[in-house]
Amino acid sequence: MEKIRFYDEAINNFYRGKEILSYPLTAMDIYSQHFDKLCQRLQDVKNLADLAEREKWGYQVPFKDEILKKEHVVVVTDPQLNIVYATQDIFSMNGYRPDEILGKKPKMFQGEKTCKVTAKTISGSIKKLEPFEAVITNYRKDGTTYNCWIQGGPVFDKEGKVVNFIAFEKEVA
């Protein structure tokens, strides 16, 4: 609250003597939106940490940096490629809420304009349990396309068994 008091004083000094008698709320609105996103991302980090513990991931996956610093969307599947977790930012990328895609396969984002060669390359890497990186044309919920950069790979437990696949994603030009 101390920072808000200084903010209010600064705004008051700035607008004193001007014809505008109130300060714009947009600054607080922008801050509020950023704060909400940060809270969502922190919740996603906690949820992924819980998933990693539950599935007994054999190594640290840097999902905290991917979410908080790089602002990547994270999608986790089970070994059969059914989506078991997606970060809340997926909605801003493709219009799907995380709960709408749970249990479905990532292929749901593909369509007519998706490059078959790229899709096959990704599929091949997954079958070989190898990491991959690609840009692929995906489809939003409303049917429009977007280019999606994906970096993904298998996640092994402490015994070396694949327990999940994880993908870090971001819309690119």
Side-chain angles (χ1 to χ4, degrees), residues 15-33:
Y15 282 104
R16 187 177 301 132
K18 299 204 179 347
E19 291 184 21
I20 302 171
L21 299 177
S22 65
Y23 67 91
L25 289 177
T26 56
M28 291 301 286
D29 292 343
I30 291 169
Y31 176 77
S32 173
Q33 290 171 357

Side-chain angles (χ1 to χ4, degrees), residues 39-119:
C39 288
Q40 288 176 346
R41 289 179 181 147
L42 288 170
Q43 185 62 51
D44 284 329
V45 169
K46 182 192 178 313
N47 292 345
L48 282 167
D50 292 347
L51 176 67
E53 186 177 330
R54 193 170 52 250
E55 295 291 333
K56 297 179 175 67
W57 290 4
Y59 55 92
Q60 262 319 75
V61 176
F63 52 79
K64 183 176 181 180
D65 285 346
E66 295 288 338
I67 294 170
L68 297 177
K69 291 182 182 173
K70 298 178 182 176
E71 299 181 355
H72 289 158
V73 170
V74 180
V75 177
V76 180
T77 69
D78 63 16
Q80 294 75 40
L81 301 181
N82 298 305
I83 298 170
V84 295
Y85 192 81
T87 54
Q88 297 174 62
D89 279 354
I90 198 164
F91 181 79
S92 61
M93 185 170 71
N94 65 20
Y96 287 97
R97 291 185 325 273
D99 62 313
E100 292 180 286
I101 63 173
L102 292 180
K104 298 181 180 171
K105 299 195 182 293
K107 281 189 174 205
M108 70 177 284
F109 305 119
Q110 297 177 8
E112 185 180 318
K113 293 182 181 176
T114 302
C115 177
K116 305 298 183 243
V117 174
T118 303

Side-chain angles (χ1 to χ4, degrees), residues 99-168:
D99 62 313
E100 292 180 286
I101 63 173
L102 292 180
K104 298 181 180 171
K105 299 195 182 293
K107 281 189 174 205
M108 70 177 284
F109 305 119
Q110 297 177 8
E112 185 180 318
K113 293 182 181 176
T114 302
C115 177
K116 305 298 183 243
V117 174
T118 303
K120 192 171 184 174
T121 301
I122 293 170
S123 179
S125 294
I126 290 169
K127 286 176 184 165
K128 293 180 204 169
L129 304 179
E130 297 175 345
F132 64 89
E133 183 174 350
V135 174
I136 193 164
T137 301
N138 276 349
Y139 285 77
R140 292 184 179 89
K141 187 176 182 179
D142 68 7
T144 59
T145 61
Y146 67 100
N147 291 324
C148 185
W149 168 85
I150 305 172
Q151 181 181 41
V155 179
F156 301 94
D157 66 9
K158 293 175 179 149
E159 283 79 47
K161 178 183 159 196
V162 173
V163 290
N164 294 107
F165 286 92
I166 191 165
F168 304 105

